[in-house]
Amino acid sequence: MLFKVLTGTEIGHLQTGLILSQIGGLLLVFTGFFLLLPSSSVTVNGGAPILILLAVGLIRILAPILVGRGSKIAFWVVIFLSVLKLLECFIATIGNNPEFIWYIPVTGLIEVGVLIHLLSPIGRAELHALG
């Protein structure tokens, strides 16, 4: 609906889900670069966790492009990474970290939107129409 108001063109469920997936990937890449910066309030021992975050973010950006070209394997990769990210956003807030409560709506709502749009019957029909 918002895209139609902005551009005058309506997009389907598949495109909406893929756009939201790319936004989620951009958030992962942004978070990875943010954690690479030296900070006194956020301490991460760098290394593998940040590199994994950046790699998964890049996959989340590139996989929707492959889905748009008709790859059904990339479609299920996007679904799998969205489910993992949704689980991770709840696991990340467990414990004594009330300052991370913002993390659930920011990342979780994007993943819920991705899953709703891609797994809807209309979105699946659009995927089958691609190839």
Side-chain angles (χ1 to χ4, degrees):
M1 176 82 176
L2 179 64
F3 195 75
K4 183 176 181 178
V5 171
L6 292 174
T7 63
T9 306
E10 188 170 344
I11 61 173
H13 286 271
L14 182 65
Q15 291 92 0
T16 303
L18 296 177
I19 289 169
L20 288 173
S21 179
Q22 285 187 321
I23 291 171
L26 288 172
L27 280 174
L28 284 174
V29 170
F30 176 75
T31 304
F33 284 135
F34 176 75
L35 292 175
L36 283 174
L37 295 173
S39 173
S40 60
S41 62
V42 178
T43 56
V44 176
N45 292 332
I50 294 176
L51 295 177
I52 291 171
L53 196 67
L54 290 172
V56 170
L58 289 175
I59 292 170
R60 294 271 320 257
I61 292 170
L62 296 176
I65 295 170
L66 294 175
V67 173
R69 294 183 178 201
S71 173
K72 295 194 179 18
I73 294 172
F75 175 79
W76 291 108
V77 167
V78 170
I79 297 293
F80 177 72
L81 291 176
S82 291
V83 169
L84 280 181
K85 184 63 181 163
L86 189 60
L87 292 173
E88 183 267 338
C89 82
F90 288 106
I91 292 171
T93 57
I94 294 175
N96 297 326
N97 293 329
E99 64 269 6
F100 284 118
I101 200 70
W102 59 268
Y103 191 68
I104 291 174
V106 169
T107 60
L109 289 177
I110 290 174
E111 302 309 321
V112 168
V114 169
L115 293 172
I116 286 173
H117 284 91
L118 292 182
L119 293 176
S120 72
I122 298 170
R124 299 278 303 273
E126 290 176 7
L127 177 68
H128 291 297
L130 284 177

